[in-house]
Amino acid sequence: MRVMRIVDIITRKRDGHELSTDDIRWFIQRYTDELVTDYQAAALMMAIYLRGMTPRETVDLTLAMARSGDWVDLHHVVPYAVDKHSSGGVGDKTSLVVLPLVAACGVPVAKMSGRGLGFSGGTLDKMESITGWSPSVPISRFREQIEEIGFVLAGQTGNLAPADGKLYALRDVTATVSSIPLIAASIMSKKLAAGADGIVLDVKVGSGAFMKSVDQARQLAQTMVGIGRDAGRDTVALLANMNQPLGYAIGNSLETAEAIRTLQNDPDTPPDFWHHCQEIAAHMILLAKAADTIDQAKQRVIQVRDSGHGLEKFRAMTVAQGGDGALIDDPSRFEPAPIVKTLVATHSGYINQIDTDQIGWTCVRMGGGRAEKSDHIDPSVGLIIRLKVGDYVNQGDPLAVIHARTVETQADAEIALQSAIHIGNEPTTPLPQFYGVVQ
Ligand code: URA
């Protein structure tokens, strides 16, 4: 048998050769077991970043990473496990609305979600703004809750695709994150390991996303859909615009309240967010074969929202996981931030650009996200921005409402928002919400 050496694998990739399935499996296993050093893994990541990977190599990498830890099989709790994944955005509270609506359409939802990363928020952080709610669902309760409610929302097990956890941290500090095969393998390894039969990928494009151009996002979507297909999973990707925040609210309890109001069919909720949720939910329902066409699936989604069944599912899951149901009945009960201040436009004009990542970072600096892994999240802080690209504002009109804990973070947010929201004289066309579907 050939003796494998990491230095040979790095050399092969550095020189532009294709790695074999055995090379990739060997590397992932040894790295997970801490038998390959970080500096050698970093060299290989850089070689992959520069040389790329063939579709076959990318699938091999994904499967090896998916198999590096727990392999969840949900078939004893749900006949068909449907999952969704957002590549990360600002104001993206889609899971909070979509999952209960899908469950209310009769498709059981057993979802493992993550926390915020960089400027983009995370579902668990948003849900934890509901007093008492816990993402830890003991295995014994998991099945009962699916049978009773049809909906569980849990944190990822610590041992889900551990190779991805290690590689992601390494890529973050070695300028090797934005490589399409590496991102695709990272996302899909977690989805495959979590036991999804059907996967809807919400691939964000724009200033508030990882992929800045539609071409890049389409390439990433095609790669992930190809991996899903090769792994025998039904996979579809939607390319969604992230050149402005999704909905109005950014920040944990503000977003959770907005999601609840959307489920309550409150007329003052953002139309772009509801439209986005309908599309994602409909694709999940279609994959699970609970509708024959996408239009029929959307009709079902609208029905369960209007009938209040989606809200009931959300409430039932929240209460089953220890959360305070009174907040779902009346989201105005979320504890407000001590400072709530409206920022106004300094001049009149059209909103022609929103630097969405800067909006996300502003919320992080206010305490709504983590600068370091161990940071505590302040659920009450954040921003409400009702303006969208293409809108006209008069001098003195509200630009944003800042919900801050301290005068310093409020002042920082004011400065950041004045430069992140660009107002010009030229009329600007409103942004499309989606750039297409890849399947
Ligand atoms: N999200 C992930 O899970 N992994 C990446 O590499 C990028 C975004």
Side-chain angles (χ1 to χ4, degrees):
M1 211 179 81
R2 180 164 66 101
V3 177
M4 293 227 184
R5 294 190 324 150
I6 181 65
V7 71
D8 297 331
I9 295 176
I10 299 169
T11 308
R12 271 199 284 286
K13 185 41 80 179
R14 182 201 64 191
D15 294 345
H17 301 295
E18 199 175 350
L19 300 180
S20 70
T21 304
D22 282 350
D23 288 337
I24 292 170
R25 281 194 194 146
W26 183 89
F27 161 68
I28 289 296
Q29 196 182 346
R30 303 277 293 183
Y31 185 54
T32 310
D33 294 344
E34 306 203 334
L35 297 170
V36 164
T37 61
D38 272 347
Y39 55 81
Q40 288 171 312
L44 182 58
M45 292 300 107
M46 185 57 86
I48 293 174
Y49 182 93
L50 296 172
R51 290 291 191 174
M53 280 188 136
T54 64
R56 202 266 310 142
E57 285 176 298
T58 311
V59 170
D60 284 343
L61 179 64
T62 310
L63 292 178
M65 282 162 58
R67 293 270 180 201
S68 65
D70 292 345
W71 185 258
V72 179
D73 184 351
L74 291 169
H75 291 124
H76 62 296
V77 284
V78 290
Y80 184 95
V82 64
D83 202 350
K84 71 166 276 284
H85 181 87
S86 158
S87 61
V90 177
D92 186 6
K93 60 235 120 200
T94 307
S95 289
L96 273 56
V97 170
V98 159
L99 303 178
L101 290 175
V102 170
C105 288
V107 176
V109 174
K111 168 100 176 106
M112 287 180 216
S113 282
R115 298 195 177 275
L117 184 73
F119 61 77
S120 79
T123 300
L124 299 187
D125 297 330
K126 297 179 216 272
M127 281 302 297
E128 281 177 348
S129 62
I130 300 174
T131 323
W133 184 85
S134 166
S136 316
V137 182
I139 293 291
S140 57
R141 255 312 279 160
F142 208 90
R143 187 189 181 132
E144 276 170 18
Q145 194 172 315
I146 280 286
E147 281 168 357
E148 286 162 15
I149 304 169
F151 182 17
V152 177
L153 181 55
Q156 276 167 10
T157 80
N159 203 32
L160 199 81
D164 175 59
K166 280 172 64 96
L167 284 175
Y168 191 87
L170 194 68
R171 287 164 55 217
D172 203 16
V173 291
T174 54
T176 51
V177 171
S178 54
S179 141
I180 287 177
L182 294 179
I183 296 176
S186 166
I187 291 176
M188 290 302 285
S189 62
K190 286 175 285 213
K191 296 289 114 183
L192 300 185
D197 298 300
I199 305 162
V200 176
L201 298 163
D202 183 2
V203 179
K204 306 282 204 239
V205 190
S207 60
F210 228 38
M211 297 285 110
K212 302 294 179 199
S213 77
V214 178
D215 278 354
Q216 275 181 326
R218 182 164 289 117
Q219 230 183 309
L220 175 64
Q222 282 164 345
T223 306
M224 292 196 287
V225 168
I227 294 171
R229 196 183 38 237
D230 286 0
R233 316 295 171 99
D234 304 320
T235 312
V236 57
L238 281 82
L239 306 179
N241 201 331
M242 198 22 86
N243 282 303
Q244 57 193 359
L246 185 60
Y248 303 147
I250 304 116
N252 294 288
S253 67
L254 294 174
E255 288 189 49
T256 304
E258 186 164 273
I260 295 167
R261 291 195 181 103
T262 300
L263 287 169
Q264 286 173 336
N265 203 355
D266 181 329
D268 193 33
T269 44
D272 66 324
F273 174 54
W274 174 226
H275 179 216
H276 186 81
C277 291
Q278 285 176 55
E279 289 291 329
I280 303 287
H283 279 279
M284 290 176 78
I285 288 165
L286 202 58
L287 282 190
K289 300 193 176 49
D292 295 329
T293 63
I294 196 76
D295 287 338
Q296 202 183 72
K298 274 186 213 160
Q299 283 314 314
R300 294 204 60 192
V301 171
I302 294 168
Q303 260 165 22
V304 294
R305 198 273 292 255
D306 293 355
S307 66
H309 283 114
L311 182 68
E312 273 168 33
K313 285 283 174 206
F314 186 72
R315 193 183 195 287
M317 177 278 293
T318 302
V319 172
Q321 292 178 220
D324 179 1
L327 286 169
I328 316 300
D329 303 331
D330 180 6
S332 68
R333 294 168 67 135
F334 277 103
E335 193 186 314
I339 301 170
V340 178
K341 184 162 177 230
T342 300
L343 178 71
V344 297
T346 52
H347 56 285
S348 304
Y350 295 91
I351 306 292
N352 48 32
Q353 186 182 317
I354 300 182
D355 300 335
T356 311
D357 50 351
Q358 292 313 315
I359 305 278
W361 284 121
T362 304
C363 182
V364 171
R365 287 196 302 276
M366 292 168 84
R370 296 177 189 82
E372 308 214 340
K373 242 173 124 176
S374 56
D375 282 355
H376 165 75
I377 295 248
D378 185 338
S380 307
V381 300
L383 307 161
I384 301 285
I385 302 175
R386 298 176 77 100
L387 294 166
K388 300 287 170 189
V389 169
D391 288 351
Y392 186 83
V393 280
N394 286 304
Q395 184 181 7
D397 280 353
L399 212 50
V401 182
I402 299 169
H403 295 242
R405 174 77 43 200
T406 65
V407 178
E408 289 75 23
T409 54
Q410 174 223 319
D412 171 77
E414 284 190 20
I415 295 166
L417 291 178
Q418 292 288 11
S419 72
I421 302 175
H422 300 248
I423 302 174
N425 294 328
E426 290 300 309
T428 307
T429 317
L431 299 173
Q433 228 178 314
F434 290 98
Y435 292 110
V437 178
V438 175
Q439 50 197 351

